[in-house]
């Protein structure tokens, strides 16, 4: 569904649908569009935005923990640390930073000024 011409109600509906389908990246996208409409979000809309980012960040944090554990285990076992593991961890860290920067930008640009 083309999200460009959607109303707030349609975007929120799609965000809730994405949540039910556990497609949190889509949920973030829909709720970012709601937030960018520059009106004070209701409690429900704030919660949806929060849930979307929390789940995207949570999945990446879980991935980071697994890769970090594997990286540390390799070091403790005396194995030469695989640079692929380290590079993959750094890639996940970049994604985490990008998402954190994204929500901070949404907050700074659209939400804090309206509260």
């Amino acid at each position: 569904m083309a999200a460009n011409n959607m109303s707030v109600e349609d975007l929120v509906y799609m965000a809730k649908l994405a949540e039910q389908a556990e497609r949190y990246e889509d949920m973030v996208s829909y709720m970012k569009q709601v937030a960018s409409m520059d009106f004070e979000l209701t409690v429900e809309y704030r919660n949806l935005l929060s849930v979307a980012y929390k789940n995207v960040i949570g999945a990446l944090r879980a991935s980071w923990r697994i890769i970090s554990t594997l990286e540390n285990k390799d070091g403790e076992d005396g194995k030469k640390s695989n640079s692929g593991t380290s590079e993959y961890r750094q890639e996940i860290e970049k994604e985490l930073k990008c998402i954190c920067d994204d929500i901070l930008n949404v907050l700074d640009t659209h939400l804090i000024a309206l509260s």
Side-chain angles (χ1 to χ4, degrees):
M1 179 177 260
N4 297 344
N5 298 324
M6 295 174 72
S7 69
V8 172
E9 293 79 16
D10 290 340
L11 288 166
V12 169
Y13 173 79
M14 291 303 295
K16 290 177 180 179
L17 194 61
E19 180 182 20
Q20 291 299 309
E22 296 183 13
R23 294 183 49 93
Y24 299 109
E25 293 87 1
D26 292 344
M27 189 179 180
V28 164
S29 175
Y30 291 122
M31 290 312 299
K32 265 178 60 176
Q33 289 178 63
V34 171
S36 70
M37 292 180 173
D38 292 332
F39 66 91
E40 190 168 348
L41 298 183
T42 65
V43 171
E44 178 188 17
Y45 295 176
R46 285 194 313 261
N47 287 340
L48 286 169
L49 183 67
S50 174
V51 165
Y53 276 99
K54 179 187 77 126
N55 282 293
V56 170
I57 291 287
L60 282 171
R61 287 181 63 218
S63 298
W64 183 87
R65 279 192 303 272
I66 290 167
I67 297 302
S68 292
T69 300
L70 292 173
E71 191 177 29
N72 291 335
K73 184 179 177 187
D74 286 348
E76 289 173 3
D77 291 344
K79 297 178 184 175
K80 183 179 176 187
S81 181
N82 186 346
S83 66
T85 306
S86 178
E87 288 174 8
Y88 195 51
R89 179 187 46 78
Q90 290 172 357
E91 182 180 323
I92 294 168
E93 288 172 355
K94 285 179 189 175
E95 288 180 38
L96 275 164
K97 183 179 180 342
C98 182
I99 293 167
C100 290
D101 289 344
D102 185 43
I103 186 58
L104 289 172
N105 182 49
V106 170
L107 289 167
D108 287 341
T109 307
H110 302 289
L111 299 178
I112 292 175
L114 297 172
S115 62

